[in-house]
Amino acid sequence: MNVKFDAPLPDGWFYSNAEESDLRHTELLRELAAGHPLFGTDVDVVAHREGTDDILCRHHADPDRLTVVHLTWRGGPEIAPRFPINECDGTIQDFYNYERRFGIEC
């Protein structure tokens, strides 16, 4: 599902079209194991970072909540529930602050 929200994305991030979103969402679901913070949580992949395996997820239950996840592309559930790694979790402002730590324009 391609879910766009009214917020500019930081440099290097792009809204995912329906095909990109579905591909990344499928991989996210493959990687999530019981114990991971997103396991059993309904999210949509709304954007991805160019040149990395980072995706931006928007939560169904709280559309103002975003999570940046670094996919591993393992193709199956991760053994350790800390993978795939949640890089950032919070509001759009939290996301911008996270990106600014790396000197990225928001």
Side-chain angles (χ1 to χ4, degrees):
M1 172 184 272
N2 187 18
V3 181
K4 191 170 181 177
F5 54 98
D6 293 326
L9 293 173
D11 289 348
W13 283 89
F14 298 91
Y15 282 107
S16 300
N17 64 35
E19 183 179 335
E20 293 165 331
S21 178
D22 288 346
L23 174 73
R24 288 171 172 90
H25 188 261
T26 298
E27 183 58 24
L28 173 66
L29 293 179
R30 276 190 199 120
E31 294 181 17
L32 295 177
H36 188 278
L38 289 182
F39 185 81
T41 302
D42 290 327
V43 297
D44 292 314
V45 175
V46 295
H48 59 278
R49 187 194 319 250
E50 183 178 64
T52 72
D53 294 325
D54 292 346
I55 58 173
L56 181 64
C57 299
R58 186 176 187 192
H59 294 248
H60 287 201
D62 182 0
D64 291 330
R65 182 176 172 196
L66 304 170
T67 304
V68 175
V69 180
H70 182 80
L71 296 174
T72 63
W73 290 94
R74 184 172 190 261
E78 290 294 338
I79 297 167
R82 70 178 185 272
F83 294 107
I85 296 171
N86 286 4
E87 300 283 342
C88 174
D89 186 80
T91 65
I92 189 71
Q93 191 59 53
D94 294 324
F95 173 52
Y96 292 157
N97 292 340
Y98 169 77
E99 289 295 301
R100 286 185 186 110
R101 290 183 18 207
F102 304 106
I104 296 172
E105 291 290 321
C106 298

